[in-house]
Amino acid sequence: MHTIEHTAPGGARSSMLGFITMHRRGPVPLAGLAVGVLALTACGAGGAGQAGEASSSPRAEETTKAATKEVSRLTPRAVVAYDGGLLTVDTASGEVLDKTEKDGFLRLSNAGDGRHVMVSDGDVFRVHDTGLDAHKHGDHYHYRESAPELTDVTFDAPHAGHVVVHHGKTTLFGDGDGSITTFESETLKDGAPDTTERKTEHPHHGVALELTDGTLFTTQGTEDERHTVRVLGKDGAVKAETTDCPGVHGEAAAAPGASTDTVMAGCENGPVIYRDGTFHKVAVADAYARSGNLAGSERSPIVLGDYKVDEDAEQERPTRVALFDTRDGSHRLVDLGSSYWFRSLARGPEGEALVLTYDGKLNVIDVESGKVVRKIDVIQPWEEKADWQEAGPAIKVAGSSAYVTDAQNKKLHVVDLTKGEVAKTIDLPQTPVELAVVAGKPEAPAREEKAHGHVSHGHGSHEGHDHVHDDAAPLAGAEGHGGHGGHGH
């Protein structure tokens, strides 16, 4: 690990480079992989590297794709992970379009381009193609469908963890080596994308995302302890830092501030907020107040989070959620009268907070007032299992619909958030564990690419368009890790 320090005026020393940066070029056939490029500062793909340092590009092999057909509109497709593989389901017809057998515990995250889903599989991120594509052509879109498949594109990452989509970029985090891999989300449609590679100072269960101005928001820590969050410049210099975030876990983007993106990270003593170039601490009354699972929306400056206060509990079952206001660092606690778990949190199309509770109801919360404005009966009462990997309900959102799995009864429910009712129930052939929903259009496009000001997503926003069926506008669900393949145990 290379660390460069400099002495600032007045004698203060600051870290200039807490990570290694390199760029990888893809797609590259397996047979053609050779010595890669590694540089301490940003460089063009294919540039000269330093002696003794090498890397390989994401693996991409030629495959025969099923025929693509143009259609008048797209309807969302759900990818369901079960014990033994993946299912891809057409949420309009209920048809299982693809069943891929794959051993291991598979975690799912939207890849960012509206078409692909990242599959965290042990020490690798795999790319699953749902076959949906909204191809932009001038001021309108053409819609295309093809058969789903688990592709040959992979990204090596020991203990593959969080996936974050923000401002048209997708960032992958490897807990086992602290690796950070970033690429333009849309380029995934062309195969293995060009990537930027960085590393944290030490391996840890962490998260990272690239901000609009090109800086990097990332956690720092070790396997035993983590309490630091940094924003690093393109040259690796520390532009902002806080060490007041014990047990840092999860992140969520909110409505941008005056000069920078606004991002919150969960801590065990109240979250921290990065806004306008500085970290701000959320003051909480409890000595221990863990909010490690967050759901944000760029439609709103308020972030939804869990709220746990019993440091010694093996499995705390809170009934309160928190609404954190990133504008002033204040927060409001809302008691739902029933507990929830880390896959229960999501945001609606207008930025409303959604929480699926043990009583089987989907709570719709007005984030400004903190009032529960609607309770929708969705599934039968349930309870979190002792092991977080065991099957339980999950919620994701696309357009004006919420998608809720019922693990106990092998079902997927489509909830019309406008009408406040279950619009469709789909029987599944396997017990659902994790869920991702894509609708063809990017989940969090670069800000200047947004159309009609229609924004929402756990990490960003989605485009609206005159020709798009409402449910084709994507919106992913929970942050702390719904949106990026993590967990909250």
Side-chain angles (χ1 to χ4, degrees):
M1 184 60 57
H2 297 265
T3 301
I4 300 175
E5 294 187 337
H6 77 287
T7 302
R13 293 190 351 181
S14 63
S15 173
M16 281 291 291
L17 198 61
F19 57 89
I20 295 176
T21 301
M22 61 184 177
H23 293 264
R24 296 196 295 197
R25 187 182 183 92
V28 180
L30 279 173
L33 293 180
V35 177
V37 179
L38 179 64
L40 291 179
T41 56
C43 63
Q50 295 198 351
E53 297 174 330
S55 69
S56 62
S57 294
R59 298 192 297 273
E61 296 178 354
E62 294 297 325
T63 57
T64 302
K65 287 286 295 178
T68 298
K69 64 179 180 180
E70 187 161 356
V71 294
S72 60
R73 69 177 189 179
L74 299 176
T75 54
R77 290 180 175 180
V79 180
V80 175
Y82 64 92
D83 185 8
L86 301 171
L87 302 172
T88 305
V89 181
D90 184 308
T91 62
S93 67
E95 179 186 0
V96 175
L97 303 174
D98 178 75
K99 179 180 179 181
T100 299
E101 295 184 353
K102 187 77 178 66
D103 291 334
F105 181 73
L106 307 175
R107 288 175 290 151
L108 306 178
S109 307
N110 287 46
D113 64 349
R115 173 172 178 166
H116 294 90
V117 170
M118 302 302 302
V119 182
S120 301
D121 179 18
D123 293 332
V124 66
F125 289 101
R126 303 186 185 279
V127 178
H128 179 73
D129 185 354
T130 69
L132 289 186
D133 184 28
H135 180 72
K136 194 169 186 178
H137 185 242
D139 63 348
H140 64 281
Y141 286 85
H142 290 272
Y143 305 117
R144 299 167 181 169
E145 291 181 349
S146 58
E149 66 171 355
L150 186 63
T151 74
D152 295 313
V153 178
T154 63
F155 301 85
D156 293 332
H159 303 303
H162 290 257
V163 178
V164 181
V165 178
H166 182 72
H167 188 59
K169 298 287 185 67
T170 303
T171 301
L172 316 177
F173 195 95
D175 292 348
D177 61 354
S179 59
I180 300 169
T181 301
T182 302
F183 57 87
E184 292 186 13
S185 306
E186 285 272 31
T187 60
L188 199 58
K189 294 180 180 180
D190 299 321
D194 291 345
T195 64
T196 299
E197 307 293 324
R198 289 162 284 202
K199 277 192 175 183
T200 58
E201 293 178 352
H202 305 285
H204 66 285
H205 181 54
V207 68
L209 71 153
E210 188 169 307
L211 304 182
T212 306
D213 59 6
T215 57
L216 183 74
F217 178 101
T218 182
T219 57
Q220 295 285 346
T222 67
E223 293 181 0
D224 300 321
E225 182 183 18
R226 56 186 192 272
H227 51 71
T228 300
V229 189
R230 289 176 181 166
V231 173
L232 303 170
K234 296 178 182 179
D235 59 356
V238 177
K239 299 181 72 65
E241 178 181 272
T242 178
T243 58
D244 189 14
C245 190
V248 56
H249 185 277
E251 54 69 43
S259 60
T260 68
D261 299 346
T262 298
V263 184
M264 174 175 284
C267 317
E268 294 176 350
N269 63 348
V272 293
I273 302 164
Y274 177 70
R275 184 188 71 246
D276 296 330
T278 304
F279 280 100
H280 308 266
K281 187 69 178 177
V282 175
V284 292
D286 301 282
Y288 178 86
R290 184 182 190 272
S291 295
N293 299 283
L294 305 171
S297 167
E298 285 199 10
R299 259 197 181 281
S300 171
I302 297 173
V303 172
L304 168 68
D306 57 351
Y307 195 82
K308 296 182 177 181
V309 296
D310 188 350
E311 186 174 6
D312 299 322
E314 277 192 31
Q315 189 172 35
E316 187 176 351
R317 301 180 189 276
T319 61
R320 295 183 299 174
V321 293
L323 299 173
F324 299 105
D325 194 327
T326 62
R327 292 168 295 191
D328 58 11
S330 64
H331 70 288
R332 184 196 306 267
L333 299 180
V334 181
D335 198 325
L336 302 174
S338 182
S339 192
Y340 57 92
W341 75 328
F342 75 100
R343 292 196 183 104
S344 290
L345 311 180
R347 299 300 289 268
E350 300 302 321
E352 65 270 37
L354 305 175
V355 185
L356 182 70
T357 43
Y358 280 10
D359 55 11
K361 298 180 185 296
L362 181 59
N363 297 262
V364 182
I365 307 170
D366 180 295
V367 295
E368 291 288 349
S369 68
K371 302 294 185 183
V372 178
V373 296
R374 179 177 282 170
K375 287 179 177 282
I376 307 171
D377 291 316
V378 181
I379 63 176
Q380 295 178 7
W382 59 281
E383 189 172 282
E384 180 181 356
K385 306 288 181 60
D387 190 337
W388 71 272
Q389 286 100 338
E390 292 188 66
I395 177 173
K396 300 292 178 180
V397 177
S400 61
S401 294
Y403 298 80
V404 179
T405 57
D406 181 352
Q408 294 179 171
N409 298 290
K410 297 183 181 179
K411 296 182 185 297
L412 172 64
H413 300 284
V414 182
V415 181
D416 186 324
L417 294 173
T418 302
K419 295 181 179 179
E421 62 185 25
V422 175
K424 187 180 188 63
T425 295
I426 299 169
D427 292 319
L428 300 172
Q430 302 289 340
T431 299
V433 178
E434 293 228 344
L435 173 68
V437 179
V438 298
K441 300 182 73 178
E443 287 91 5
R447 202 161 287 139
E448 62 270 17
E449 295 175 2
K450 294 173 187 175
H452 309 303
H454 192 49
V455 293
S456 57
H457 186 272
H459 297 298
S461 61
H462 63 275
E463 294 186 28
H465 192 274
D466 295 341
H467 304 164
V468 176
H469 177 242
D470 186 46
D471 280 348
L475 172 71
E479 270 307 287
H481 263 102
H484 42 294
H487 50 271
H489 64 287

